[in-house]
Amino acid sequence: MYTIELSKLRFHAYHGLYHEEKKLGGDFEVNITLFHQPEKFPITHLDETIDYTAVYNLVKEIMQKPEPLLETVVSLIASEILRKFSHAEEVSVSITKLNPPIIAFEGTVGVKCVLKRNGQ
């Protein structure tokens, strides 16, 4: 089985419940891990695997659409990856809000979603 990883993707986006988040936006980090079993070894053509550039473009498009909850965003990204990339058997998506609007809070908050093609 192959693992394809897109790590530490940075986006400025407008996800959040609060007025300031919707107006000013915030910085987010997205991490994606895809698992797939190719039909043959070794992989010699792009159509035998998952094009990470296409995955990045899909993530970028979804991140540009504001949502109140990160749970919604990770679910959209994970389900769209499985829908658009037939080679993907499982996907893990995490989104970290790098500067959450919490008074006197230091650190980050995030959400992770793992989906398998067979629904488990």
Side-chain angles (χ1 to χ4, degrees):
M1 183 164 299
Y2 277 87
T3 301
I4 295 173
E5 297 178 346
L6 288 83
S7 302
K8 299 181 182 181
L9 306 178
R10 294 287 180 109
F11 299 95
H12 187 81
Y14 297 87
H15 307 300
L17 292 171
Y18 304 108
H19 175 73
E20 295 81 16
E21 294 176 294
K22 294 175 184 179
K23 183 178 178 183
L24 301 174
D27 295 320
F28 298 85
E29 181 177 288
V30 179
N31 292 288
I32 312 271
T33 303
L34 297 154
F35 300 91
H36 78 100
Q37 184 68 45
E39 294 178 12
K40 66 175 195 157
F41 289 96
I43 292 174
T44 56
H45 294 77
L46 185 58
D47 62 352
E48 298 168 349
T49 187
I50 298 168
D51 180 353
Y52 54 79
T53 301
V55 174
Y56 172 77
N57 288 331
L58 179 133
V59 172
K60 181 179 175 184
E61 180 181 322
I62 293 172
M63 287 298 292
Q64 292 174 348
K65 297 175 185 172
E67 291 287 347
L69 299 175
L70 290 182
E71 288 83 351
T72 304
V73 183
V74 295
S75 299
L76 288 170
I77 292 171
S79 61
E80 279 299 296
I81 287 172
L82 288 181
R83 189 179 74 76
K84 289 191 175 188
F85 302 97
S86 62
H87 293 326
E89 295 180 21
E90 181 178 333
V91 61
S92 172
V93 179
S94 67
I95 300 179
T96 303
K97 188 178 287 194
L98 299 176
N99 301 300
I102 302 170
I103 297 173
F105 178 82
E106 291 188 35
T108 61
V109 297
V111 176
K112 183 176 185 177
C113 176
V114 178
L115 289 181
K116 295 182 181 181
R117 182 163 301 284
N118 62 8
Q120 294 179 339

